[in-house]
Each structure stands twice: as C-alpha cells, then as structure tokens.
Amino acid sequence: MVQVSIIMGSESDRAISDRAVAVLEKTNYTYEVVVISAHRNPDDLDVYVTNSDADVFITIAGLSAALPGVVASKTKKPVIGVPVSAKLGGLDALLSVTQMPPGVPVAAVGVDNGANGAHLAIRILDLLQA
C-alpha cells in the first residue's frame, strides 16, 4: 500500500517529482511515482486512479495541466497540483490547476514546487493519522 501517489504527465516532469520524493524520503510515508498522461493515456489514468489505494495524489503537469483536474474528477481523495514551467513561465499551468469547476477541488502549490507538494501531502497524512 502506498500513501502518496505522484503522477507525472510526462517523463520530462521527473526533476519536479524528484523534489517531492526528496521530501517524502525523510518520512515514514510510502509513495510511488508513475507517468500517466491525461491526454495520451486517459484510459490508463482512469484505471490507475480508480484502483489506487493512495491516500493523497500529487499531480505534476505543465502546458494545459489537465492532469490534476482529471485526477480530481475521478476520486474523492485529496489532489495536489504542481504546475510546471513548460511555457509562459508556468503561468498557463498555474491558472489551469487553480481554475477547477465546482465540486472538483485541486490544491495548488507554486510552479515547479514539487517539494511543497510533498509537504502538503505530509500535512494531510498527519491529519488523517491523528
């Protein structure tokens, strides 16, 4: 069982996920890192999220940054979006992550800030275990 699932939209997001992993490595929380694109692998993403036993999802994506919203639409578990600075300094991804429709919440951290994504996941897990 993993407590945190880190989903990258692309292998090019690895440096951002590595920042999250570095934070999680200092805890006793379990995690896994997968690459599943909301656009290129929508069926795989649906199966993964539906069957995941993770308590929290950290999603990392740039450009349209659809991944956090798609994951949030498939689960009631907390979803943290980490926008990536692929274009426009990450502003496009940041706006995408924060503009979710009602009932599809995504928590957003700063652009390229995988470490804060992990810190937020840890806070959520600490509350769940309290």
Side-chain angles (χ1 to χ4, degrees):
M1 179 184 151
V2 299
Q3 294 161 298
V4 180
S5 172
I6 301 170
I7 307 173
M8 300 181 294
S10 169
E11 186 60 43
S12 65
D13 301 326
R14 180 69 61 181
I16 309 303
S17 74
D18 286 348
R19 296 174 192 162
V21 167
V23 171
L24 292 168
E25 283 287 321
K26 297 175 185 171
T27 72
N28 290 324
Y29 291 121
T30 58
Y31 65 89
E32 69 181 351
V33 180
V34 297
V35 179
I36 310 174
S37 168
H39 295 107
R40 292 182 294 273
N41 314 100
D43 295 336
D44 293 343
L45 182 62
D46 185 45
V47 169
Y48 177 79
V49 172
T50 301
N51 294 313
S52 176
D53 57 2
D55 295 315
V56 181
F57 292 94
I58 298 173
T59 55
I60 303 171
L63 301 175
S64 70
L67 182 61
V70 172
V71 171
S73 76
K74 299 180 180 303
T75 184
K76 299 292 185 193
K77 298 174 183 178
V79 176
I80 301 164
V82 181
V84 175
S85 61
K87 299 283 183 186
L88 303 174
L91 180 60
D92 53 340
L94 176 64
L95 293 174
S96 178
V97 170
T98 61
Q99 298 300 313
M100 291 296 106
V104 186
V106 172
V109 296
V111 174
D112 294 338
N113 205 334
N116 262 3
H119 285 297
L120 181 53
I122 291 164
R123 288 186 180 195
I124 292 167
L125 291 169
D126 287 348
L127 285 172
L128 290 175
Q129 293 195 357

